């Protein structure tokens, strides 16, 4: 149960509620399945080229391995990406995302005719979104949502035809292992998602 999973939080604001909404926070939790996503500023298609996509995959794979994030499924489109996976050491989430964001922004900007600064982020300094998966149902939804990104955006008729949706771990296998490890954050309300869809 969540009572035995300490949550370390970080936020750009010290005010917990503003105009009836809960502030946006990053949560760092050990032994946790996460849904992670980031979008380019103003939805700019900075990953439209194969060169830019190759840069993303190289840096994502490198830092995921370095910080112990095990991706189950990841999908990269022209202006955003989603990934679902397992992280054993929660404090590694922040540094991993910082390194991915920083290195990808620098290297992709080097390929663009005009540099995009800021490269990532949306309102409220939300450079990325980390969703701590609560239960098997939410996990399955997040997996299928990521799997169907190319289809949903009209890029491919079948997800298997799109090379930038990468499946590393089968959904049933991942769920079974997460249940064995107690890697879902059960019993915690969704207040932190009031400004963002939990996907």
């Amino acid at each position: 149960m969540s009572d035995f999973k300490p949550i370390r939080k970080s936020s750009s604001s010290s005010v917990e509620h503003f105009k009836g909404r809960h502030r946006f926070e990053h949560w760092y939790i050990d032994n946790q399945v996460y849904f992670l996503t980031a979008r380019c500023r103003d939805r700019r298609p900075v990953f439209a080229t194969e060169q830019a996509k190759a840069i993303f995959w190289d840096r994502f794979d490198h830092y995921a391995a370095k910080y112990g994030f095990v991706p189950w499924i990841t999908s990269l489109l022209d202006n955003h990406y989603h990934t679902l996976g397992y992280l054993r050491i929660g404090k590694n989430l922040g540094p991993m995302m910082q390194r991915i964001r920083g290195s990808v922004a620098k290297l992709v900007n080097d390929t663009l005719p005009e540099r995009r600064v800021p490269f990532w982020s949306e309102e409220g300094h939300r450079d990325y979104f980390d969703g701590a998966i609560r239960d098997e149902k939410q996990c399955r939804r997040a997996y299928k949502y990521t799997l169907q990104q190319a289809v949903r955006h009209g890029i491919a008729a079948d997800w298997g035809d799109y090379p930038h949706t990468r499946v590393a771990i089968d959904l049933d296998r991942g769920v079974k292992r997460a249940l064995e490890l107690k890697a879902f954050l059960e019993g915690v309300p969704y207040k932190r998602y009031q400004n963002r869809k939990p996907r």
Side-chain angles (χ1 to χ4, degrees):
M1 293 296 292
S2 58
D3 290 345
F4 301 102
K5 293 185 76 170
I7 302 172
R8 187 167 66 86
K9 304 176 183 181
S10 72
S11 175
S12 60
S13 172
S14 61
V15 179
E16 187 169 358
H17 294 87
F18 181 71
K19 294 184 178 180
R21 292 175 178 257
H22 195 278
R23 69 185 176 194
F24 181 79
E25 301 169 333
H26 293 302
W27 287 11
Y28 307 121
I29 308 163
D30 290 345
N31 185 41
Q32 179 63 42
V33 177
Y34 276 103
F35 174 79
L36 306 171
T37 185
R39 185 167 63 192
C40 301
R41 185 66 173 256
D42 299 326
R43 301 175 187 263
R44 292 167 176 159
V46 296
F47 297 114
T49 66
E50 287 301 309
Q51 181 184 14
K53 286 184 173 71
I55 290 170
F56 170 85
W57 287 117
D58 177 74
R59 295 296 81 199
F60 177 83
D61 290 344
H62 173 79
Y63 287 114
K66 179 175 180 177
Y67 288 100
F69 179 71
V70 181
W72 296 5
I73 183 170
T74 307
S75 189
L76 171 66
L77 275 64
D78 287 356
N79 62 17
H80 70 279
Y81 72 91
H82 302 299
T83 187
L84 178 76
Y86 171 78
L87 184 64
R88 187 172 67 86
I89 302 174
K91 68 180 182 180
N92 285 351
L93 179 61
M96 179 186 80
M97 295 302 290
Q98 290 168 3
R99 302 301 188 279
I100 292 172
R101 294 198 323 271
S103 61
V104 168
K106 196 276 180 191
L107 294 171
V108 172
N109 258 325
D110 288 346
T111 73
L112 299 175
E114 179 183 349
R115 299 187 73 80
R116 302 298 189 181
V117 180
F119 188 91
W120 306 100
S121 83
E122 299 176 36
E123 62 178 336
H125 305 288
R126 297 176 186 172
D127 292 329
Y128 69 94
F129 174 78
D130 55 280
I133 297 296
R134 301 310 206 263
D135 52 35
E136 178 179 345
K137 182 178 180 180
Q138 190 189 29
C139 183
R140 290 183 178 278
R141 285 180 172 175
Y143 191 104
K144 292 173 182 177
Y145 179 84
T146 305
L147 187 71
Q148 295 298 324
Q149 280 295 293
V151 176
R152 185 175 293 105
H153 287 270
I155 298 170
D158 184 272
W159 73 265
D161 296 332
Y162 183 62
H164 298 290
T165 294
R166 300 187 178 179
V167 175
I169 294 179
D170 174 79
L171 174 57
D172 289 335
R173 177 186 167 205
V175 167
K176 180 181 178 183
R177 184 60 176 151
L179 290 170
E180 291 171 351
L181 293 173
K182 296 181 171 44
F184 295 136
L185 188 66
E186 298 178 357
V188 176
Y190 287 83
K191 288 183 179 180
R192 68 179 293 237
Y193 295 123
Q194 286 182 339
N195 293 333
R196 293 292 291 265
K197 294 179 181 178
R199 305 287 185 176

